Amino acid sequence: MKLLKISTLAFLFLAFHSCDKLDELTEVDVNVTETASLTAAVLQGESSFSESITISVDDEQVQDNLDRIESVTIKKLSYVFKNVTGNADATLTGSMTFGMASISFSDVNPTTVEGQVVTITNTDVINAFAQAIKNGAEVTVVLEGTAQNAPVSVTVELTAELEIVVDVL
């Protein structure tokens, strides 16, 4: 009887262990880098800007298995100000919203920070971004705020390096 109990426990252990290994065989790690650009343009006499864009993971394995995304890891989320034109003394104050979380910036002179990559480390933003990707392989980003000393135009280029685990079977 004792041998039967031990044999049954060993069998159950192996069965569950084998299921985990089998599940891992059907998982695919998809590493992608997605880039999107938003342009904040404020004309002379104006003071506000608002732009939005949807970042979508276009990988075929991800798109074919949207309901089977098991996890999303944000390896790096960053932005950079590029293509700055207009008044060199202009400053921007505002926020970038990623899904349900945002980061803010205050009195940033885009001319002085042009080309400098800023890595986003705010865990609320990273988690919101990852959750939005997990829920449908896309996230909407909103850039809004005000400008002092317009006119000014700047492109904000966002880059997301992602690892997405998809169960393909």
Side-chain angles (χ1 to χ4, degrees), residues 28-34 55-73 130 132-138 162-168:
V28 175
D29 291 347
V30 179
N31 291 292
V32 294
T33 300
E34 298 295 335
I55 298 173
S56 178
V57 177
D58 295 326
D59 181 87
E60 185 177 338
Q61 288 180 314
V62 173
Q63 289 297 321
D64 289 348
N65 298 287
L66 290 175
D67 58 337
R68 295 187 183 125
I69 296 174
E70 292 195 2
S71 67
V72 176
T73 302
I133 294 295
K134 185 176 180 186
N135 290 343
E138 64 182 28
L162 312 167
E163 179 180 335
I164 303 169
V165 177
V166 179
D167 193 349
V168 293

Side-chain angles (χ1 to χ4, degrees), residues 72 74 125-139:
V72 176
I74 309 297
V125 168
I126 291 169
N127 291 339
F129 195 100
Q131 191 62 46
I133 294 295
K134 185 176 180 186
N135 290 343
E138 64 182 28
V139 62

Side-chain angles (χ1 to χ4, degrees), residues 53-136:
I53 193 165
T54 298
I55 298 173
S56 178
V57 177
D58 295 326
D59 181 87
E60 185 177 338
Q61 288 180 314
V62 173
Q63 289 297 321
D64 289 348
N65 298 287
L66 290 175
D67 58 337
R68 295 187 183 125
I69 296 174
E70 292 195 2
S71 67
V72 176
T73 302
I74 309 297
K75 293 180 176 181
K76 184 177 181 182
L77 184 60
S78 62
Y79 66 93
V80 61
F81 288 97
K82 300 173 100 175
N83 306 320
V84 178
T85 60
N87 187 347
D89 294 326
T91 59
L92 303 176
T93 298
S95 65
M96 268 190 287
T97 303
F98 301 80
M100 300 299 290
S102 63
I103 58 171
S104 60
F105 50 92
S106 181
D107 295 323
V108 173
N109 181 322
T111 302
T112 61
V113 297
E114 184 173 16
Q116 296 176 16
V117 176
V118 178
T119 300
I120 299 169
T121 58
N122 179 304
T123 54
D124 291 338
V125 168
I126 291 169
N127 291 339
F129 195 100
Q131 191 62 46
I133 294 295
K134 185 176 180 186
N135 290 343

